[in-house]
Amino acid sequence: MTMPRDVIRADVLSLTSYPVPNSVGFIKLDAMENPYTLPWPLQEQLGERLARVALNRYPLPRPSLLLDKLKYTMQVPDDCDILLGNGSDELINLIATACAKSGAKILAPVPSFVMYSISAVLAHVEFIGVPLNVDFTLDVAAMLEAITAYQPSVIYLSYPNNPTGTLFDDADIEQIVRTANRSLVVIDEAYQLFAQRTWMSRTNEFDNVVVMRTVSKLGLAGIRLGYLVGLPDWIREFDKVRPPYNINVLTQSTVDFMLDHLNVLEAQAAKSRAERERLAEAISLLSGAHVFPSSANFLLVRVSDADMVFEALLSAWILIKNMSKMHPLLGECVRITIGTPDENARLLTVLKSIQL
Ligand SMILES: *Cc1c(COP(=O)(O)O)cnc(C)c1O
């Protein structure tokens, strides 16, 4: 009799699946989704568009009209290319696969986005985590030292950083990019619309910088589309490890449509930015809560008992993310995605009713 443990890699056996809690019926403030749906007329137009998509055909592997439109809309430098991924999660995996030379290392500040280390483990690449300062700014000296010591193939900088919300300093990033002249620096701009800062226009200024974006946090998490922007020499190599039909026809058609209506998503992001400021202020007035500055669509909040706060919200049908076991620097921290004004008001009511 064959058992999975006879066949499956030992390190895979010891992993746990990425936890996605059942959220049916909950106010969902755990996954940085845009809380707003598309307005009805757009839903209807998109429906008509999608009804005509040729589902019997494989998608175009390099949809050049869509790529050109994305390039133009997102102000990608002329001499850069784009690689599409089934979410940026897939791009992160492609990068790990393509860079998995024997002895290769992937480096990122910690705590940061978990996929950087998960993708490394799966590709048999060692992951080097460099702790942030206690205020979640970059420990530049430690970063530079680790880069020199480990010579990583890839360095990830989440800009702004998930789960802390910190927008790393541009001069610090530049120093890392210049020191890491044997590494590829991936600037992950998943929260670009909430930070309103970007390295996009500088992608071609350095030969070792690529910028990664996703439409997930903009309001299109369900369609799974990420994109990587960089000089053609980089994009060409990563394209070789991409599954041939990784972006399905419905996603391609939806993105094509939404690029014509980006103003709707931008207006929703502007609402979330305003709500972020309002909510940050309101929570920081509650005694026992410390709100860290955030440039994303979530707030990292330190309380005295994160498990208790998580459970109290859960009983009130509000789902947030308890970060307190993820990394020592995140002790007693919870991450709260910005919801609609109504959802945020209900969150605040519960927070006011308990001892933070
Ligand atoms: C959410 C997130 C992603 C993943 O985005 P997908 O496109 O949904 O896979 C990537 N990077 C960071 C920092 C994120 O927070």
Side-chain angles (χ1 to χ4, degrees), residues 87-89 113 116 158 162 188 190-191 214 216-217 224:
S88 20
D89 285 352
F113 188 46
Y116 307 151
S158 173
N162 173 12
D188 181 349
Y191 300 96
T214 171
S216 294
K217 314 292 157 61
R224 312 302 300 129

Side-chain angles (χ1 to χ4, degrees), residues 26 29 98 109-110 119 150 170 184 195 250 257 269 276-277 288 290 302:
F26 284 84
L29 305 180
V110 285
S119 63
Y150 295 106
D170 285 328
L184 176 66
L250 296 173
F257 177 81
R276 174 184 72 202
E277 298 316 305
H290 178 81
R302 176 165 284 137

Side-chain angles (χ1 to χ4, degrees), residues 55 160 201 205 290 325:
L55 299 180
S201 63
E205 185 184 321
H290 178 81
K325 308 266 180 324

Side-chain angles (χ1 to χ4, degrees), residues 138-313:
L138 274 177
D139 185 341
V140 184
M143 286 292 288
L144 299 182
E145 208 172 295
I147 290 165
T148 309
Y150 295 106
Q151 298 285 319
S153 305
V154 180
I155 300 169
Y156 281 99
L157 295 171
S158 173
Y159 180 81
N161 189 42
N162 173 12
T164 62
T166 330
L167 188 70
F168 298 142
D169 186 80
D170 285 328
D172 290 349
I173 295 179
E174 184 161 347
Q175 212 182 340
I176 288 168
V177 167
R178 292 191 189 282
T179 304
N181 57 5
R182 303 291 300 275
S183 318
L184 176 66
V185 180
V186 183
I187 301 187
D188 181 349
E189 298 192 346
Y191 300 96
Q192 186 263 334
L193 260 196
F194 306 102
Q196 299 181 286
R197 297 292 297 262
T198 181
W199 271 64
M200 184 67 85
S201 63
R202 302 188 68 182
T203 323
N204 56 359
E205 185 184 321
F206 305 93
D207 57 17
N208 62 335
V209 171
V210 293
V211 166
M212 194 167 66
R213 294 250 188 104
T214 171
V215 299
S216 294
K217 314 292 157 61
L218 291 185
L220 300 171
I223 71 170
R224 312 302 300 129
L225 187 92
Y227 55 101
L228 188 71
V229 172
L231 292 171
D233 285 351
W234 287 111
I235 299 301
R236 195 178 309 116
E237 299 308 321
F238 294 127
D239 193 44
K240 295 176 187 170
V241 286
R242 176 180 60 80
Y245 305 114
N246 63 332
I247 312 298
N248 74 71
V249 288
L250 296 173
T251 295
Q252 292 192 16
S253 184
T254 306
V255 173
D256 184 43
F257 177 81
M258 286 311 300
L259 287 174
D260 295 330
H261 302 281
L262 215 53
N263 56 325
V264 174
L265 302 181
E266 283 166 353
Q268 292 175 342
K271 271 202 256 182
S272 290
R273 291 197 304 268
E275 277 297 297
R276 174 184 72 202
E277 298 316 305
R278 220 178 53 78
L279 194 61
E281 160 111 19
I283 297 178
S284 59
L285 290 174
L286 304 177
S287 86
H290 178 81
V291 182
F292 291 93
S294 172
S295 299
N297 62 343
F298 59 84
L299 296 174
L300 187 75
V301 183
R302 176 165 284 137
V303 291
S304 38
D305 186 347
D307 291 353
M308 186 275 286
V309 170
F310 178 80
E311 291 297 332
L313 287 167

